[in-house]
Structure formats: C-alpha cells, structure tokens
Amino acid sequence: MAESEELPDAPDAARAVFTGEAWPRARAFAEMLAGPGVVRGLLGPREVPRIWDRHLLNCAVVAEAVPEDARLVDIGSGAGLPGIVLAIVRPDVTVTLLEPLLRRTTFLEECVEGLTLDNVEVVRGRAEELAGKRDFDVASARAVAPLDRLLAWSLPLLREGGQLLAMKGERAAEELDAAAQQLQAYGVHSAELVTVGRGKVDPPATLVRVVAGRSPARSAQGARRRRKR
C-alpha cells in the first residue's frame, strides 16, 4: 500500500473520545476499515489516511445527541458509519445496523463479531420493510440520501418523540428548508440543526435533528382499522 494510503496513528483527540474498552475496539475497527473495508469496496483507498478524523471521530461525536439507553437504528449502515462507532462509544445503546446489500451486511457481521459488540444486531433489509414491525428511539444516517427521502424512510421507524439524527455537511440548512412541506405533512414535533463535537473535531459535525410526531406507519394502520369498523 502506498504511503499516502496507510492508516495513520490515532490523533490525541481519539484517546479523549474513545475511552476505556472503547479504545481497543476503535483501533481494531479502524484496521478493519483500512483493510477488508477497502478491499471489498466499502471505503475508498484515499479515505484511509482520513479514517480517524473524517470517519471515526466525526461519527463518535454524534453520541452527544443520543439519549441514554436508546434503541437506535442505523439506516443504510454501509461500512458501519456511524452505527458501529456509536455502539463502541455508547455500550448503553442498542444498535440495529440496517443495510440491504449482502456484501455489506457480511462485513458488518464480521466487525460485530470481531469487536465483540454485544449491543449490536445486523439486519439485512430496507427501512420500508421494517416499518410497522419495529420502532426505535433514534434513527441515524450518514451520506445515505437527501433529507426528503431520508424522512420517508426513517420516520415510520420512530416512536412518537423519537428522533432522526442525520449527519449533514454544508448543505444541511438548505436541505432542511427544502423539506419544510414534507416535515409539516409528517406532523413532526420539531426540526433543527444541531452542532456536536466542539473541541473534539474540526470542524464540528452538523446534524439535522427531527423529532417525530405520531408514526406515519402507525397512523395509517389506525386509519385502516377505523375504516373497517
């Protein structure tokens, strides 16, 4: 592997974020991403030098917005970002990694087993297939889809008062404005931009946090039941 594509040493900030048992797991996961993750096409080789700063630390600070003992679904988990990272730094959180592609779920299962993450399950499937069958306190997503589509996938999976935490970059405010009609149609309680990771990552990470109203899937089910009476 060329020097420019080697996994760098972890920065000092990583030791401050990944503490206790999270530290060896974070290091092992970084190696999994840089090795099998690249070989299988889940991460580009040019991302290897940025695994700590751009990927692991950037995902870890999302934990600041996750409530204690939450049931979290990571939509389109891909290489486990942010789902596996959140499971590493927050052992109190139960994480479901939701991913439709077999090669990715295989990688995720290997990571979960190799990192001995007892608080994680891997589910192969799409969000639409899980709607009405499971509900969660938090849905996380990173680089999965524009916010309008992400709302349609995530809100039916959330209990009332649950929250979508969508990792967004510079266009976060623009996407939030563009989704105004859809947010109103779903009857969400609130939608806002949240900054996490101040003093830990530079720049801090920007999240779109949407607090769900009554689950659209359950509202539809209730309407169907009422029509049958």
Side-chain angles (χ1 to χ4, degrees), residues 131-132 155-156 158 185-186 213-229:
L155 289 175
L158 294 172
Y186 274 112
R214 183 170 176 80
S215 165
R218 293 187 176 184
S219 295
Q221 290 172 355
R224 286 194 294 269
R225 285 196 293 268
R226 288 192 295 272
R227 286 196 295 269
K228 290 178 180 178
R229 291 175 183 172

Side-chain angles (χ1 to χ4, degrees), residues 9-203:
D9 292 335
D12 292 340
R15 295 299 296 260
V17 172
F18 296 101
T19 59
E21 293 183 0
W23 174 240
R25 286 187 170 123
R27 290 182 61 186
F29 186 43
E31 292 171 358
M32 291 173 177
L33 290 172
V38 170
V39 171
R40 300 183 194 183
L42 278 74
L43 198 71
R46 293 184 179 180
E47 293 301 308
V48 173
R50 301 186 284 187
I51 280 178
W52 283 105
D53 292 330
R54 182 173 181 176
H55 298 288
L56 297 188
L57 283 170
N58 194 251
C59 290
V61 297
V62 176
E64 296 175 13
V66 178
E68 291 185 3
D69 301 317
R71 294 168 296 122
L72 181 146
V73 58
D74 189 36
I75 297 175
S77 195
L81 301 167
I84 285 182
V85 180
L86 292 174
I88 289 173
V89 296
R90 289 289 300 276
D92 62 300
V93 174
T94 302
V95 176
T96 297
L97 304 175
L98 183 60
E99 168 58 49
L101 296 183
L102 177 59
R103 67 183 177 89
R104 293 177 181 173
T105 56
T106 299
F107 175 77
L108 293 172
E109 288 167 350
E110 291 172 1
C111 290
V112 169
E113 182 178 0
L115 300 172
T116 61
L117 292 171
D118 297 332
N119 58 330
V120 182
E121 66 169 340
V122 179
V123 175
R124 185 185 176 196
R126 301 182 182 279
E128 304 94 312
E129 298 166 350
L130 213 57
K133 300 175 182 177
R134 301 271 299 274
D135 64 2
F136 299 89
D137 304 306
V138 178
S140 62
R142 180 181 192 243
V144 175
L147 185 59
D148 55 353
R149 273 191 281 161
L150 193 54
L151 290 170
W153 296 340
S154 62
L155 289 175
L157 297 178
L158 294 172
R159 63 167 177 81
E160 184 173 3
Q163 55 184 314
L164 164 66
L165 298 176
M167 300 182 69
K168 295 291 182 179
E170 297 177 352
R171 297 187 60 189
E174 181 181 336
E175 286 196 40
L176 189 56
D177 289 342
Q181 284 189 324
Q182 193 170 8
L183 290 165
Q184 184 177 8
Y186 274 112
V188 304
H189 287 316
S190 62
E192 61 183 341
L193 298 182
V194 177
T195 300
V196 293
R198 293 189 186 277
K200 298 174 183 176
V201 294
D202 185 22

